[in-house]
Every structure is written in structure tokens, then in C-alpha cells.
């Protein structure tokens, strides 16, 4: 499924980005895990927060994240959707192309560490719909590495609905405090900070 | 109960402040409401998040907020505790002097609107421990008004464990994005954004 790539004419410093990450959960259990979205204006100001729940090792992350974002009062202002990787709540894989189509937003999945695809492939064989999950991961496309800050390790991105070059620019411009974009750094802090004491099991 | 007032020798731009606010809840019901704390470095960078639950119209907010803050990995770095007002989850009043003593931190309660004390006094008569609650509110001390931004309405503070002048400086310096300190602006966004969809009743 190839989607038209939105061309960003100019990346304004205050471009609205939503960053999405999951909270703590007990791996290999049945249940739900919190998924948090935070809206930033560029890399500087937090503008909004939203929450949904996805099934641990389930198949609903793509739809649930799309619903959360489209139900938000910030949706009309959003220009970019960033994900902390493509797997949430265990192996609940996000189809970034479908997510981009559902939300009509460019999607950029960011990881600090290069995923070990052979380990992931092996783990998926133990889960229902293992082949479907693997296909979704493969379809996310090649990992592109980039350096957001001098002297720091590179990070990796996968994109949907945006060119690799535009995605790199947005990721670099929004990495104001660390080597990952501020909306994702903060989504991680909030998701983990608020779920630690009350992890759903 | 008069406490020694901590003198802030110099207010560093990156001073660690925790801002505390409550989420949505159904008023006049029995149950718990979420209370969120966000840690900022000065008015610019979000460094941490924490959560507790307090009883709607209960009497446990002071202790629960103190426990939340002291259990946080950020506790040792914190220099200022800011509250969005002194009532949480309805009329669960915070004793700012006790909170300052328990946490060994200066406490600044901030409100945008001048509270209507006669309305509050009247409402408290319908609650158990109405007199105790009213005494705690009275003991929070006089409201001091200050203007954090030119041409904007003044805001109001009550303080414990810090001089009014030092408190005004911290409040002004941390009001980087609006007329209230950034830790409280963001605590409000997160607390309300994350509880709207899943309000506890």
C-alpha cells in the first residue's frame, strides 16, 4: 500500500507534533497497557496530553492510537505523528502506513536502539497471528539512521506519508533536549512515571 | 505552626520544581481522583512525572501528595513544590505548612482566580470536618497577588517555608509560556488530558 507522500514546504519551529509511547505493564499477561500521547509545539512547549489503552500482545494498537489522536481536540492542529518504535504493549505492532492513512498524518517511528529483527521474528512465532505481525513490521520499511546531536549515537527512523529527508529534518529540529525528539522523550517520561505505581496486571 | 523560612540564595534557571494538580472526577461522589506531579527544570524542560490518588472531598491530600513526592526518584533534586490552589478533588484541602514540613520543601500554592472564601466557607458546612477544613484554608495565609507577565491579569499565591519575595521571583521566572508557572500549566494539561476519557466515578 503506497501512500502519497506529503511534502512539508517549510518546517515551522512551532509545528505541532504528537509523540506516542506506552507505559509499564506486566509482560506476557492478559490485559491492557496505557498508551500516552503528548502534543508539543516543535521541541519546546507541551500543548496537550491524551491517553488510550491497548491490549498486551494484542492487535489493536494501530486502531486505538488512530482513535485517540482523532478524538483529541488537538487533532486539527497536528502535523506530525511520532511513535516510540512500532511495537507497543509487547508485540502489539503498529502498521505505520495504515496509521498514516487513518489519521491523514505523516508518521515517524523512532528508536534509539537498532531493533534485532531476527530475535523479534523468533518471538513472534510464539504468538497468534505471528505472520501478520511480522509482515506489518517488514512493511514499516527500512530503518534510516541519523544523528540528531553532535557526538551522540545515531538514532533510527521508519516513515510513512513523509519523505525520509523531511522526516530527518523534523526529527533533528524537535530533538531540543536529548538525542530523540522532545515529544517522544516527554511521552516516555509521562507514560512510565504515571504507570509505575499503578501498573495494570 | 511557624516554620523556618528557607532563604533561596540564588534562583538558578534550572531549579527543579514539582507542580501538582488534580484530574477530572465526578464531584460529590465517593471515590478517588488522580493527582499528578510534573518535575520541571526551571520553566523549560520536563524531567519527570508522578501520580497518586486522593479521596474526593476527603482529608488525605496533604499526606498523599507528600508521600508521592518523597517516593519519587526526583525528590532529592527538588527545590520547590507548587500546587494548583489548596483544594484538591473537591474540598480535600492541603495544609501547605504541614506539606512543607513533611517534604522539607518550600510550598507555593498558585491560583489564577481569587478564591471566593465566603462561598468556600458555606460549602464546607455541608461536609464532615468542615471546621477543620476551614482552619486549614485560613492557615494557608493571606493571598499575595503578583503579575507574571506584562498586560496580563495578576495571579495569587500562598506560601509556606519560603518568603513572599523569594516565592514571587520563582513564580515569575518559571512562568515561561503563560501567566502561571510552567510546571503547573503542564501538570494541569496532563492531569486533565489523561483523566478525561477514564474519569473514575
Amino acid at each position: 500500500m503506497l501512500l502519497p507522500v506529503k511534502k512539508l514546504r517549510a518546517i515551522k519551529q512551532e509545528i505541532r507534533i504528537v509523540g506516542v509511547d506506552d507505559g509499564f505493564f506486566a509482560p506476557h499477561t492478559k490485559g491492557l497497557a496505557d498508551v500516552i500521547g503528548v502534543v508539543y509545539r516543535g521541541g519546546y512547549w507541551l500543548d496537550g496530553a491524551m491517553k488510550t489503552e491497548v491490549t498486551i500482545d494484542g492487535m489493536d494498537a494501530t486502531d486505538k492510537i488512530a482513535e485517540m489522536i482523532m478524538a483529541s481536540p488537538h487533532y486539527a492542529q497536528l502535523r506530525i505523528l511520532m511513535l516510540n518504535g512500532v511495537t507497543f504493549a509487547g508485540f502489539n505492532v503498529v502498521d505505520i502506513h495504515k496509521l498514516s492513512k487513518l489519521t491523514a498524518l505523516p508518521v515517524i517511528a523512532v528508536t534509539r536502539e537498532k531493533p534485532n529483527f531476527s530475535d523479534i521474528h523468533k518471538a513472534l512465532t510464539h504468538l497468534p497471528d505471528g505472520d501478520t505481525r511480522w509482515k506489518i513490521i517488514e512493511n514499516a520499511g527500512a530503518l534510516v539512521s541519523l544523528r540528531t546531536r553532535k557526538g551522540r549515537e545515531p538514532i533510527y527512523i521508519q516513515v510513512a506519508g513523509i519523505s525520509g529527508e523531511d522526516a530527518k529534518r523534523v526529527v533533528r529540529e524537535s530533538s531540543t533536549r536529548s538525542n530523540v525528539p522532545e515529544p517522544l522523550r516527554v511521552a516516555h517520561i509521562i507514560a512510565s512515571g504515571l504507570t509505575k505505581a499503578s501498573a495494570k496486571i
Side-chain angles (χ1 to χ4, degrees), chain A:
Chain A
M1 176 173 54
L2 276 176
L3 291 166
V5 167
K6 236 183 231 178
K7 182 101 187 125
L8 294 180
R9 280 167 198 282
I11 297 172
K12 281 189 287 183
Q13 269 227 313
E14 299 233 328
I15 187 173
R16 298 298 201 293
I17 302 169
V18 57
V20 179
D21 201 355
D22 54 2
F24 282 95
F25 60 94
H28 313 305
T29 58
K30 285 190 191 297
L32 299 170
D34 285 337
V35 169
I36 304 288
V38 296
V39 179
Y40 257 78
R41 298 202 189 194
Y44 292 95
W45 305 108
L46 192 149
D47 243 21
M50 54 189 89
K51 194 181 104 170
T52 188
E53 293 177 331
V54 306
T55 310
I56 296 168
D57 291 330
M59 296 284 279
D60 56 359
T62 308
D63 289 339
K64 286 295 188 65
I65 291 170
E67 283 163 22
M68 169 181 80
I69 285 166
M70 294 163 77
S72 157
H74 298 275
Y75 177 53
Q77 274 74 49
L78 293 174
R79 294 295 170 265
I80 301 280
L81 197 176
M82 291 185 178
L83 303 174
N84 189 353
V86 298
T87 56
F88 284 73
F91 287 105
N92 200 329
V93 291
V94 174
D95 181 336
I96 60 172
H97 300 286
K98 186 180 170 196
L99 183 59
S100 175
K101 198 177 169 188
L102 288 172
T103 59
L105 287 171
V107 174
I108 308 174
V110 178
T111 50
R112 274 176 199 265
E113 311 270 326
K114 204 167 185 167
N116 184 327
F117 286 114
S118 102
D119 280 2
I120 293 173
H121 199 174
K122 210 171 5 174
L124 289 178
T125 61
H126 301 294
L127 284 174
D129 307 304
D131 289 348
T132 311
R133 295 176 205 257
W134 179 244
K135 209 161 191 178
I136 292 170
I137 289 176
E138 272 193 327
N139 281 349
L143 287 167
V144 176
S145 78
L146 74 154
R147 232 174 262 273
T148 52
R149 290 166 95 85
K150 276 183 191 161
R152 298 286 297 268
E153 292 297 301
I155 63 170
Y156 303 89
I157 62 173
Q158 290 168 296
V159 300
I162 183 170
S163 74
E165 284 314 302
D166 277 348
K168 281 182 177 180
R169 279 164 56 210
V170 177
V171 167
R172 279 201 194 96
E173 294 237 350
S174 58
S175 298
T176 45
R177 180 72 180 174
S178 71
N179 68 337
V180 295
E182 193 65 358
L184 288 176
R185 187 186 72 83
V186 168
H188 178 74
I189 288 174
I190 294 173
S192 52
L194 302 192
T195 52
K196 219 173 276 184
S198 58
K200 291 186 178 68
I201 295 176

